[in-house]
Amino acid sequence: MIKKLIVKWSFILALLVLASCSKNQNRILNIAIGTHSNNELKIQIDVTTSDNLSVYAEYWADTKGIKNKVATPISKTGLSHSLILCSVSPETSYSFQVVTVADGEKKTSKIYHFKSRKLPEWLQKQFKANFQKPELLPQNFKKGFLLMGKRETPGTAYIVDYKGNLRWYHTVEGTGFKVTHFTKDQSIIAILGKNNEPTSYGSEILEINLQGDTLTHIKKGQGDFKQVIHHEIIKKSTNEIVTLFVDERITDLTAIGGKKGDTINGDGILILNKKGKQLWKWSVFDDLDPMKDKALLKTKKDWMHANSLNYDKDGNFLISFYNNGQIWKVDAKTGKVIWKLGKGGTLSQKENSSFSQAHAAHINPEGSLLFFDNGVDQKQSSVFALKINEKDNSVQLDFQIKLPKEIYNDRMGSAYMIDKETLLCCCSKRHITVLTNKKGVLLWALESEIPPYRVEFIPEEKLKPFLFN
């Protein structure tokens, strides 16, 4: 029979044991339960078995019943097993069973219970959702989740549901989450930076899985990682990390009234492997001569200000710049600039597709170039979707959504499609994220204590079995 049931870190959780008979009594020696890494929304169940077995847990909220049980990933074969329950809500009663697997045979333990604690005070009342007609919200939006990060120390990555409930978090000490991104590998990759580093700039790369385990952690100075990175962090493959970096060029600017050994800060694209080895690099200096910029003495500290990076459908890069109001397409092999969109660009634009400063430029599911326009020229932010025809270098407006002037956002921000008719827009400086339809009607809003750099939408199916509604 089960020899012991240990209440791990007993000050954290109370575990109530049912008196029912265990079907698994000859395999399980001990069960211990507590929080994982002191995180109130991650519950860790440690299981010791008498034989080399694989183990998983099935758990459910008591209010939903056993018919709504879900399973953790199965452990590796062994004698000691740690199972992490990630989809836990605060102050909620749960039940669980431990299932052992040997030679294809499953045995299930009796049912155990625990109640999660309330969130720490510093995590309470961080988000407030506002919506009057839930029936107008897309079903996938109500089932999905939102990812954002706190840039000041201690840094926190948050996953929130549409009701404003905090459903997952991860905290780091000494740095902030400057930029966060959810990957196809069901991980969160981030740029970490200290408080004295600028808004979206940092010197560390962190990748964690949804159980909170560190997959990658590289600091500036390791391998070929020598530069300050900023504004973007994505993955090309499991072992390829793509980011923007500050390219510092020492230049003689005496001819325009500067110093002989002056510094121009440009931008570049850097691809590293998980050990910090450089795989590919490109710089804006490869295409532009800064000496042709008449305002260089004013702009030299942040000459172009690249603020987003993504892949086009053909695998080449899309990079947006705040200072010159352009989006470029760059060949991901040769580094050649294929086209430039925006003020003074190489693509032919009509007046209805003109924008001020773009953020979060990417290809949407319908194949259009989608981005958040700060709208500095008009003092009104909006969302643009443009059709790019590379055969004749033309641009056609797919749609534009003008956001209310009350949430005008002159810096940062993002926009992503939820379905064909609705978009999620982050107005960072306003501390507000909204769901709008293509007519510009706001259907939902989330107020946050933090000013998120951007807010990503993650469909529920991409988070299972770790997080679900």
Side-chain angles (χ1 to χ4, degrees), residues 9-25:
W9 312 301
S10 58
F11 62 92
I12 294 174
L13 295 171
L15 186 65
L16 306 176
V17 186
L18 287 184
S20 61
C21 222
S22 172
K23 300 176 183 178
N24 213 347
Q25 52 188 345

Side-chain angles (χ1 to χ4, degrees), residues 338-395:
I338 299 170
W339 50 250
K340 299 178 182 180
L341 170 68
K343 304 168 186 176
T346 61
L347 297 180
S348 176
Q349 281 184 263
K350 295 180 181 179
E351 184 63 29
N352 65 359
S353 63
S354 297
F355 58 93
S356 297
Q357 282 85 13
H359 270 90
H362 66 282
I363 301 300
N364 71 13
E366 297 179 346
S368 294
L369 175 64
L370 183 74
F371 55 90
F372 183 91
D373 176 28
N374 295 109
V376 175
D377 293 345
Q378 307 296 327
K379 298 294 186 291
Q380 183 175 15
S381 301
S382 63
V383 181
F384 274 93
L386 304 178
K387 295 286 187 183
I388 310 296
N389 188 332
E390 295 185 354
K391 292 182 179 179
D392 62 5
N393 285 332
S394 65
V395 180

Side-chain angles (χ1 to χ4, degrees), residues 135-349:
E135 66 274 12
L136 297 180
L137 304 180
Q139 192 61 29
N140 69 320
F141 179 69
K142 290 192 284 187
K143 296 287 285 183
F145 298 89
L146 311 173
L147 170 67
M148 66 194 81
K150 175 173 167 279
R151 292 168 296 171
E152 297 76 25
T153 59
T156 308
Y158 308 92
I159 295 181
V160 182
D161 64 23
Y162 85 101
K163 294 181 179 178
N165 297 315
L166 180 61
R167 300 295 302 278
W168 183 99
Y169 68 94
H170 185 89
T171 302
V172 291
E173 296 293 336
T175 55
F177 278 92
K178 301 290 188 169
V179 184
T180 57
H181 176 66
F182 186 73
T183 79
K184 293 180 180 179
D185 297 325
Q186 283 192 310
S187 65
I188 293 171
I189 193 164
I191 295 174
L192 303 184
K194 296 180 173 60
N195 286 349
N196 60 1
E197 295 180 89
T199 304
S200 302
Y201 292 71
S203 50
E204 298 181 31
I205 295 170
L206 175 70
E207 183 182 8
I208 54 174
N209 62 22
L210 291 169
Q211 293 175 309
D213 303 317
T214 298
L215 305 177
T216 305
H217 191 189
I218 316 172
K219 296 183 179 182
K220 181 183 175 184
Q222 292 180 236
D224 300 321
F225 181 13
K226 307 295 185 184
Q227 308 90 341
V228 172
I229 57 176
H230 64 97
H231 281 89
E232 195 64 83
I233 189 82
I234 56 178
K235 290 178 70 178
K236 182 180 181 182
S237 67
T238 301
N239 195 42
E240 293 176 289
I241 299 168
V242 187
T243 188
L244 293 169
F245 74 94
V246 177
D247 192 359
E248 296 184 1
R249 296 291 177 99
I250 307 301
T251 310
D252 184 352
L253 298 183
T254 55
I256 59 172
K259 300 176 183 178
K260 185 174 183 179
D262 231 325
T263 302
I264 303 173
N265 289 327
D267 302 291
I269 301 170
L270 181 64
I271 303 180
L272 302 168
N273 68 13
K274 286 191 171 185
K275 294 183 179 180
K277 181 181 179 181
Q278 179 180 302
L279 304 177
W280 192 83
K281 187 169 74 171
W282 171 87
S283 173
V284 69
F285 291 103
D286 298 341
D287 181 84
L288 284 184
D289 179 3
M291 299 303 292
K292 294 182 179 179
D293 182 358
K294 296 179 180 180
L296 184 60
L297 289 181
K298 293 182 179 180
T299 61
K300 65 180 181 178
K301 292 183 179 180
D302 187 12
W303 177 38
M304 295 287 286
H305 195 87
N307 59 28
S308 75
L309 180 69
N310 221 306
Y311 282 99
D312 201 346
K313 293 175 291 185
D314 57 9
N316 292 313
F317 287 112
L318 296 170
I319 179 171
S320 60
F321 300 94
Y322 187 89
N323 286 353
N324 71 351
Q326 290 184 349
I327 301 171
W328 293 7
K329 182 171 179 176
V330 178
D331 191 297
K333 293 181 179 179
T334 67
K336 180 182 178 181
V337 177
I338 299 170
W339 50 250
K340 299 178 182 180
L341 170 68
K343 304 168 186 176
T346 61
L347 297 180
S348 176
Q349 281 184 263

Side-chain angles (χ1 to χ4, degrees), residues 55-73:
V55 174
Y56 65 93
E58 295 177 326
Y59 66 107
W60 58 93
D62 290 346
T63 54
K64 294 184 177 181
I66 193 170
K67 291 183 179 180
N68 292 288
K69 68 182 180 182
V70 293
T72 67

